[in-house]
Amino acid sequence: MPVEQPAGLVLDTYLPREDVRDAFVSPTVPSLSALEAGTLVGTSSLRRKAQLLNRRPDLTVVEFRGNVQTRLKKLEEGVAACTFLAMAGLNRLGMSHVATATIETQDMLPAVAQGAIGIERRGDDARAAEMLEAIHDGPTGHRLAAERAFLAALDGSCETPIAGLAELDGGTLRLRGEILRTDGSEALADDQSGDIADGPEMARAMAQGLLDKAGDGFFDWR
């Protein structure tokens, strides 16, 4: 979902968030850490590719597209030894058993808004707003407000290797963010906490701080 909505549309309703983690999927290897040097890893996600190569530059990443069933078939055919899928998607499909292992967020920070379902509506439709208010999940809304502000300040999209995750603890919001070069050669990250109400402002400041650290040329992949 774009961080800026078309004129007349608003995105202000979210359902309770699913599992935000990535799943490691392989018919032959038990975990990401067990991969041997040179192993073929299949993914079409720029974020996952960059994160993987940043941590394991000895691995080889190959393009891996298609729906869940197509990707599982490619694994069976040996196109790659493993791949990554969102746990949220597997859970919603009733296929959580497909995950060989889950990857904790400290090891692979997820994409902004991963695991969330948002509902877009017309900004002048008061009746729709009233109905949607009944199913809106406030905590998810606060988390996504910060994450999407972070992404917007970086001018990011699904075509950029950016990761971000907001978590709540009482009245405190913790935001972790990461930007990477597409080849994984460099990663910059930050971790900040503050009042929930200040989440979007904190996110924008974090994004600017990372941009300042990145300097000229970091985003040559755009």
Side-chain angles (χ1 to χ4, degrees), residues 20-22 47 51 105 108-112 114 162-165:
V20 301
R21 297 173 297 175
D22 285 313
R47 171 188 61 86
Q51 289 175 322
T105 58
M108 183 175 280
L109 200 63
V112 164
Q114 185 159 309
I162 296 171
L165 178 64

Side-chain angles (χ1 to χ4, degrees), residues 53 73 127 197 211:
L53 292 178
K73 184 177 180 181
R127 182 169 178 270
L211 288 173

